[in-house]
């Protein structure tokens, strides 16, 4: 069994909600990208609690009711005499039972209920509104398709809009947790191994444990694992995004490939795609949560000096190396694919290292604002700027893989244009390298 790491804040929040639900009904939405560890968190939370875990499979309504009815009887003692054939009727029985019994009910892959009974969410809303005042249920729902879960609960036209009492968005493991996991599996790890693990996983639990339990605990072994014939890393990016975007994914994938290759402005993307991609970029940001716009620190809200960035480290890796070299996979040339990654690895991981330190600074809580800066010509780029606004201090940071390549005098020179934006701040200049990971 996999060791359970971290999630102390999330578990504390879930336990607080559980206490509240003993007095009045709570309805919690748990979101997060696929493979992030939502199910593992919930399984860990409900152990030793009176609880039922219901997994949604796309079966007939009657078959799913029968399965759930059996689980409810075994786990929380809800015994319904006679067969229940409709999900709405079963949910009503659960709510009635919760008037005299406190328990946790988890419904996983919740979004798939709409494919089994399209009207279920409307009936669920009516039943919840009718019975919640007398109920002591701790209801938690989660699903693997982020865009659908977001729409179900945050679109004002949907019946379950506004019904959740709590929302927890599960994020990747922080750098310190990734570091601890690697140290547990490889106490003699090198900085390069940590950077590679961060590059491939970005802190996503499933990817970390695939590598660790696959005994891929060094840089070379990780890349070999990721590019082997049976590796999930070769297909997971495609599977995740098709589940979010659907069958018409071609243009979206082309955009993501271009961003992963460093074409990060809309004008650059449009010139290759040969059409206006504004709507596609907006969808990738707001609906699918795959990319985010990055502006120079202290930019005006209306500034068009925007670069797009893939949020997820694994998806960056997938589009940069796997999707862009799909022909090698189709030809079975896995060794050539591995060679390509090794050839470009040092240059590619320069940016990965910047994002690692940004996440590390955010985790440490030593800054009130973290960002980057570049001018309108995309010159004089500053890797990281941290501000402590109350103290009036700013730290301008250069990131290099090797400490000997950091030149603080040059950093000070190229920062002169930016420094004009922050009069009154006490400035410090700093270099970060792999030695500081």
């Amino acid at each position: 069994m996999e060791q359970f790491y971290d999630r102390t804040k999330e578990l504390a929040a879930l336990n607080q909600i559980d206490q509240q639900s003993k007095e009045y009904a709570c309805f919690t939405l748990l979101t997060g990208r696929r493979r992030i560890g939502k199910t593992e968190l919930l399984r860990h939370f409900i152990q030793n609690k009176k609880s039922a875990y219901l997994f949604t499979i796309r079966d007939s309504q009657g078959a799913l009711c029968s399965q759930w009815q059996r689980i409810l009887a075994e786990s929380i003692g809800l015994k319904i005499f006679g067969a229940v054939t409709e999900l709405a009727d079963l949910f009503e029985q659960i709510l009635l039972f919760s008037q005299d019994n406190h328990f946790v009910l988890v419904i996983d892959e919740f979004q798939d209920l709409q494919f089994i009974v399209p009207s279920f969410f409307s009936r669920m809303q009516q039943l919840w509104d009718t019975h919640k005042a007398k109920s002591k249920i701790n209801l938690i729902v989660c699903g693997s398709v982020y865009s659908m879960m977001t729409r179900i609960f945050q679109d004002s036209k949907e019946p379950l809009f506004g019904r959740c009492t709590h929302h927890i968005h599960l994020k990747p493991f922080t750098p310190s947790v990734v570091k601890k996991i690697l140290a547990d599996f490889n106490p003699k790890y090198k900085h390069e191994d940590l950077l590679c693990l961060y590059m491939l996983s970005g802190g996503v639990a499933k990817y970390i444990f695939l590598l660790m339990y696959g005994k891929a605990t060094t840089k070379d072994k990780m890349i070999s694992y990721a590019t082997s014939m049976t590796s999930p890393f070769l297909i997971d990016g495609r599977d995740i995004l098709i589940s979010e975007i659907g069958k018409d994914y071609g243009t979206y994938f082309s955009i993501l490939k271009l961003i992963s290759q460093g074409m990060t402005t809309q004008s650059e993307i449009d010139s290759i795609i040969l059409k206006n991609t504004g709507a596609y970029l907006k969808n990738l940001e707001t609906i699918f949560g795959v990319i985010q716009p990055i502006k120079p620190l202290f930019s005006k809200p209306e500034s068009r000096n925007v670069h797009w960035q893939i949020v997820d480290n694994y998806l960056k890796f997938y589009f940069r190396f796997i999707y862009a070299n799909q022909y090698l996979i189709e030809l079975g040339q896995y060794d050539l694919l591995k060679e390509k990654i090794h050839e470009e690895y040092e240059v590619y991981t320069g940016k990965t290292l910047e994002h690692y330190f940004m996440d590390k600074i955010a985790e440490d809580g030593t800054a009130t604002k973290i960002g980057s800066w570049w001018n309108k010509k995309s010159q004089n780029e500053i890797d990281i700027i941290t501000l402590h606004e109350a103290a009036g201090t700013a730290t301008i940071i250069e990131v290099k893989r090797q400490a000997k390549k950091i030149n603080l005098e040059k950093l000070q020179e190229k920062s002169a244009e930016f420094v004009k934006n922050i009069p009154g701040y006490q400035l410090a200049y700093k270099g970060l390298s792999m030695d500081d990971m």
Side-chain angles (χ1 to χ4, degrees), residues 20 44 54 64 82 85 89-90 93 97 105 123 136 140 152 176 182 247 260 273 305 335 351 361 392 402 420:
Q20 292 174 6
H44 190 80
L54 305 179
L64 189 61
T85 58
D89 292 340
L90 183 59
Q93 289 297 319
F97 183 71
L105 178 68
R123 290 285 291 120
K136 300 180 185 70
I140 305 171
I152 289 166
S176 67
L182 181 59
K247 294 178 181 177
S260 76
I273 303 289
N305 190 3
D335 285 342
K351 272 289 178 196
I361 292 163
Q402 297 176 34
K420 296 173 185 176

Side-chain angles (χ1 to χ4, degrees), residues 98-339:
S98 72
Q99 292 181 6
D100 299 310
N101 299 273
H102 172 261
F103 56 90
V104 183
L105 178 68
V106 174
I107 305 179
D108 205 346
E109 296 297 355
F110 181 78
Q111 78 280 338
D112 283 351
L113 288 170
Q114 65 190 323
F115 300 111
I116 300 166
V117 186
S119 63
F120 176 71
F121 293 153
S122 293
R123 290 285 291 120
M124 185 180 184
Q125 174 235 311
Q126 294 165 0
L127 291 166
W128 180 260
D129 290 349
T130 301
H131 296 288
K132 66 180 180 181
K134 296 180 179 179
S135 171
K136 300 180 185 70
I137 191 172
N138 183 2
L139 174 61
I140 305 171
V141 301
C142 70
S144 61
V145 184
Y146 174 78
S147 55
M148 290 173 68
M149 290 296 289
T150 303
R151 176 179 56 78
I152 289 166
F153 290 98
Q154 296 183 13
D155 185 336
S156 60
K157 296 176 184 176
E158 294 292 323
L160 291 176
F161 173 76
R163 293 312 185 276
C164 281
T165 56
H166 303 84
H167 180 195
I168 297 173
H169 182 72
L170 198 58
K171 294 182 179 180
F173 287 138
T174 60
S176 67
V177 177
V178 177
K179 199 173 181 179
K180 182 182 185 325
I181 295 170
L182 181 59
D184 285 349
F185 283 86
N186 178 10
K188 296 180 180 179
Y189 79 89
K190 296 180 172 62
H191 297 308
E192 196 72 80
D193 305 326
L194 177 57
L195 182 59
C196 189
L197 179 58
Y198 187 76
M199 173 193 78
L200 287 170
S201 73
V204 174
K206 185 67 176 179
Y207 302 136
I208 292 174
F209 292 117
L210 278 171
L211 293 165
M212 296 300 99
Y213 286 107
K215 301 191 184 304
T217 60
T218 64
K219 170 202 162 189
D220 289 346
K221 287 181 180 178
M222 288 178 204
I223 292 175
S224 292
Y225 183 101
T227 55
S228 64
M229 181 169 41
T230 58
S231 171
F233 288 83
L234 299 182
I235 58 173
D236 212 44
R238 182 179 185 277
D239 290 350
I240 287 172
L241 289 179
I242 289 178
S243 73
E244 294 282 354
I245 295 170
K247 294 178 181 177
D248 298 326
Y249 62 84
T251 302
Y252 288 108
F253 276 35
S254 297
I255 290 169
L256 292 169
K257 183 177 78 169
L258 291 173
I259 293 173
S260 76
Q261 293 172 335
M263 283 166 267
T264 58
T265 66
Q266 185 181 338
S267 59
E268 288 175 312
I269 295 166
D270 288 355
S271 69
I272 303 294
I273 303 289
L274 298 179
K275 63 179 172 183
N276 187 311
T277 58
Y280 292 93
L281 291 165
K282 199 68 180 171
N283 289 344
L284 284 168
E285 178 198 2
T286 58
I287 297 175
F288 307 122
V290 176
I291 64 172
Q292 61 186 8
I294 304 295
K295 291 183 180 182
L297 207 60
F298 291 116
S299 293
K300 293 178 181 178
E302 66 273 14
S303 171
R304 294 189 176 185
N305 190 3
V306 176
H307 287 221
W308 291 96
Q309 174 179 287
I310 299 173
V311 175
D312 185 278
N313 270 21
Y314 163 68
L315 289 178
K316 288 178 196 172
F317 170 81
Y318 174 81
F319 281 100
R320 180 65 186 85
F321 294 109
I322 307 303
Y323 185 72
N325 295 299
Q326 197 65 40
Y327 69 98
L328 291 177
I329 296 167
E330 289 169 6
L331 292 171
Q333 300 286 349
Y334 301 104
D335 285 342
L336 277 178
L337 176 62
K338 184 166 65 174
E339 280 179 30

